[in-house]
Structures are given as structure tokens and as C-alpha cells.
Amino acid sequence: MFSTPFVLTFSLLLSLPILFLLAPRILPPRLSSVPISPSDELEDLSLFRRASATPTTRLPSSFSHLAASKPKLKIAFLFLTNSDLQFAPLWEKFFRPPSAKSLYNIYVHADPTVNVTSPGGVFEGKFIEHAKRTYRASPTLISATRRLLATAILDDPANAFFAVISQHCIPLHSFKFVYHSLLKSRSSFIEVISDEPRLWKRYVARGRYAMMPEVPFEDFRVGSQFFVLTRRHALMVIKDRRLWKKFRMPCYREDECYPEEHYFPTLLSMQDPKGCTQYTLTKVNWTGTVNGHPYTYKKSEISPELIQGLRESKYSSSYLFARKFAPDCLAPLLKIADKVIFRD
């Protein structure tokens, strides 16, 4: 006869496969953000290398010098969109003055999987060839912005400032006011925040040590993805490989993964913090935010008082742009464009 201890041990061994099948399986966390395809990465690198070989535009040391020498420095307006440019008629008015014609360039990155219709006018022929599909809260938005920057750098050596614009964004001033406000500065207008309450959760969204050693937590920053960069900083962005390989990694936490809000402020804060203003020139209302989206202004809210209020800034003399606006805001905005928005 078998001893009792032997029988118990043998029974336990027989039950192990059953226990394994019944036990809850521990799966690795699901990757949430969309990765960059190898083919897109290679095409981007080719574009960035060509753009990186272009010279850096030297900005005048003061606005008085600008007025005296009258250099044809330009602003590159970079529209990042996955839908039609609903506010194109308003922007058309913004770019309309004859004196502005030689002082700007327009570039549009439109998601090729969406049937975005060219509005014509100043936007005719301005859609870039290298556009790729974009997804919210993913490194695809970083890539799209870098493509816009590289395309603008290659296209015109006179592009001195690069303004990233959303399809939901509107101008708050005339072109003349915007041009003079930017060209008298030597800094990039990019928001850089180091004390956001959820910063740690966003930092570890790819894993606790995933960003190390290139990006220690004390260097991790957050800020608006809509900014204005100098040509020197735009070149820094497209030349970067070191930080990009970290921010391109997919996240495990979808609710904490917004790489497009971290890559640019982190990179420029690490490389040239004194060259950044630390604030953006695009006004956003985060009151009543839903799923990470800012407040959307409605048609009934459009008024001269709203425009005046949106201009007010505690960081600069005035905000230059604002978002987010519903498409049906276009008609009332056009009504007050000449007498309010473009009257400085």
C-alpha cells in the first residue's frame, strides 16, 4: 500500500495542469498608441537629412534693424489637419493684404486617408506630398509636424519662423500685427511646463524606465502642440534622432499617452531652454474639457468681446491665434473680421 503522504503528493501533481488551466492568465499590457511603420520612418529620414543640410537664417538683432534693412524674412504657416479647412475663407482675408504676399508661405499636412478638399485660393497647391496618416495621441502627430517643418525648411531659405496651426484655429490679429510681433523676437514661442500634476503618469506611460537614460523625469516637459519655432529650432527638431527613438515608442496607458504634447517642449527645453519663451501664442480654453479636448466655441458665442478676451495674455502683449471653434462659427467670424479681428 502507498503511504498517505505519497498519495497526497501524487494527487497534487495530477491536479496541477487543471489548476493552471483554471487560473487567470496574466497577459502583458496592451500597447495602445499607433507605431510608425518602417517605410514611413525611412522616407521621413530621407526628407529630414536633406532639410538638415540647409543653412540657418540669421535673425536681425532688433526690430529697428529689421525696418532699416527690410529683409524678406518670411513666416511659414504649417496647417496640420485631418478634415477640411473650414476657416479657409477667414485665413484668406488674413493673407489678403498685398504687402503680405512676399512675407509668408503656406504648407498643409492633410491625412491622406481622409478626403480633405483643397479650399483653393491661397491654399491652392500648398498640400505637401509626404503626408501620412495621423492618429490622435500618437507619435504620428510628431512625425506630421516634423514633415511640415522639413518641407518648409527645404522650400524657402527665407522662412524664419514656423507656426503650427490647427484646422480649428483662427487668427486674432491682422497679418501685419502677427508678422511684426514674431520678427522682432529671436525666440521660439513654445509652451514648456514642468509642474503639470499628471506629468509622472505620462512619463511612465511606456514603462517606468522606458525613457531612460535619454530623458530623465526631471527633464520631461509638457506643452501645447501648436507653437511658433525659429528656423534654428526647427532644424534642431528635424535633426533629432536621440529623443525621437524614445517618443516614438508605443504606450501602455492610452489615457496618459499624448506624445505630441511632450516631444517638442522636452527636446527644446533640454537643448536650448533660454531660446524658448516657455509660452505659446495660441489661446486655448481648457474649461469644460472633454476627453482631453479643449472647449469648442459655438456660433452663438462669437462677438467682438470674445475676440478681445481671447487676445489677452499674461505672458505677451497678445495672443496671435486661438482655438477651438466649431465649423458654423465661420459666418459670424467673417462678419466681424475687418472691423474687429484684423483691426489692431
Side-chain angles (χ1 to χ4, degrees):
M1 295 291 294
F2 296 112
S3 64
T4 300
F6 177 83
V7 172
L8 290 174
T9 302
F10 185 72
S11 300
L12 180 61
L13 290 173
L14 288 175
S15 66
L16 282 176
I18 298 174
L19 291 172
F20 176 78
L21 291 173
L22 294 177
R25 296 182 67 186
I26 301 175
L27 298 174
R30 181 176 61 89
L31 296 175
S32 63
S33 55
V34 181
I36 306 294
S37 72
S39 59
D40 286 353
E41 182 83 353
L42 287 174
E43 187 174 350
D44 284 347
L45 283 174
S46 175
L47 173 65
F48 299 160
R49 288 193 184 101
R50 285 185 284 120
S52 298
T54 62
T56 301
T57 301
R58 292 181 61 85
L59 295 174
S61 58
S62 67
F63 181 60
S64 59
H65 177 76
L66 172 65
S69 59
K70 295 183 180 179
K72 293 293 184 180
L73 297 180
K74 300 178 183 180
I75 301 173
F77 289 84
L78 315 178
F79 288 83
L80 181 59
T81 184
N82 60 1
S83 65
D84 285 344
L85 297 173
Q86 300 287 350
F87 297 104
L90 184 64
W91 285 102
E92 189 83 34
K93 279 180 169 285
F94 173 78
F95 293 117
R96 180 178 57 189
S99 59
K101 188 174 182 180
S102 62
L103 300 177
Y104 71 87
N105 284 304
I106 296 173
Y107 307 88
V108 182
H109 185 291
D111 188 326
T113 65
V114 181
N115 187 22
V116 177
T117 305
S118 173
V122 295
F123 292 94
E124 189 65 35
K126 304 303 181 182
F127 286 60
I128 69 172
E129 298 178 357
H130 309 285
K132 302 289 188 298
R133 189 172 187 178
T134 55
Y135 299 84
R136 181 172 178 262
S138 82
T140 60
L141 288 174
I142 301 175
S143 294
T145 303
R146 296 176 87 198
R147 285 184 208 111
L148 280 167
L149 291 168
T151 302
I153 288 171
L154 273 172
D155 179 62
D156 193 338
N159 284 333
F161 280 91
F162 302 76
V164 183
I165 307 291
S166 160
Q167 75 266 38
H168 305 293
C169 188
I170 68 165
L172 293 176
H173 287 280
S174 68
F175 178 88
K176 180 180 179 181
F177 185 97
V178 171
Y179 184 82
H180 288 174
S181 296
L182 294 180
L183 267 293
K184 68 182 179 182
S185 173
R186 298 174 62 83
S187 301
S188 288
F189 295 88
I190 180 169
E191 187 176 47
V192 181
I193 301 173
S194 60
D195 57 354
E196 205 276 335
R198 303 182 70 87
L199 205 58
W200 172 251
K201 289 186 177 181
R202 290 191 174 194
Y203 180 75
V204 299
R206 298 166 186 80
R208 189 178 182 90
Y209 303 105
M211 303 299 287
M212 292 294 288
E214 287 83 357
V215 187
F217 177 65
E218 55 267 25
D219 291 335
F220 192 61
R221 299 290 184 267
V222 66
S224 170
Q225 70 182 102
F226 301 102
F227 44 73
V228 181
L229 300 186
T230 61
R231 189 178 183 92
R232 184 168 64 89
H233 282 162
L235 282 165
M236 281 185 189
V237 168
I238 63 169
K239 287 179 179 180
D240 171 61
R241 305 289 182 269
R242 188 167 178 266
L243 266 63
W244 167 241
K245 72 178 182 181
K246 292 295 183 178
F247 282 94
R248 71 186 296 273
M249 294 190 302
C251 298
Y252 292 107
R253 289 286 306 275
E254 186 174 2
D255 58 331
E256 300 292 352
C257 189
Y258 297 93
E260 70 277 15
E261 296 180 0
H262 294 279
Y263 172 74
F264 300 101
T266 299
L267 172 65
L268 294 180
S269 177
M270 291 178 70
Q271 293 199 13
D272 186 22
K274 293 183 179 180
C276 303
T277 62
Q278 314 291 314
Y279 59 83
T280 179
L281 294 176
T282 300
K283 176 72 173 182
V284 180
N285 183 356
W286 289 105
T287 303
T289 177
V290 178
N291 296 326
H293 292 286
Y295 179 81
T296 300
Y297 291 99
K298 308 174 188 65
K299 179 180 179 180
S300 60
E301 297 177 272
I302 303 303
S303 68
E305 291 74 23
L306 175 65
I307 299 301
Q308 295 295 341
L310 291 173
R311 288 174 173 175
E312 295 177 1
S313 171
K314 63 180 180 180
Y315 304 109
S316 63
S317 60
S318 177
Y319 281 107
L320 302 183
F321 315 105
R323 58 185 289 268
K324 183 177 184 183
F325 291 83
D328 62 0
C329 290
L330 176 62
L333 284 168
L334 287 174
K335 286 183 179 179
I336 63 171
D338 292 330
K339 293 184 178 180
V340 178
I341 298 176
F342 301 138
R343 177 174 290 181
D344 303 315

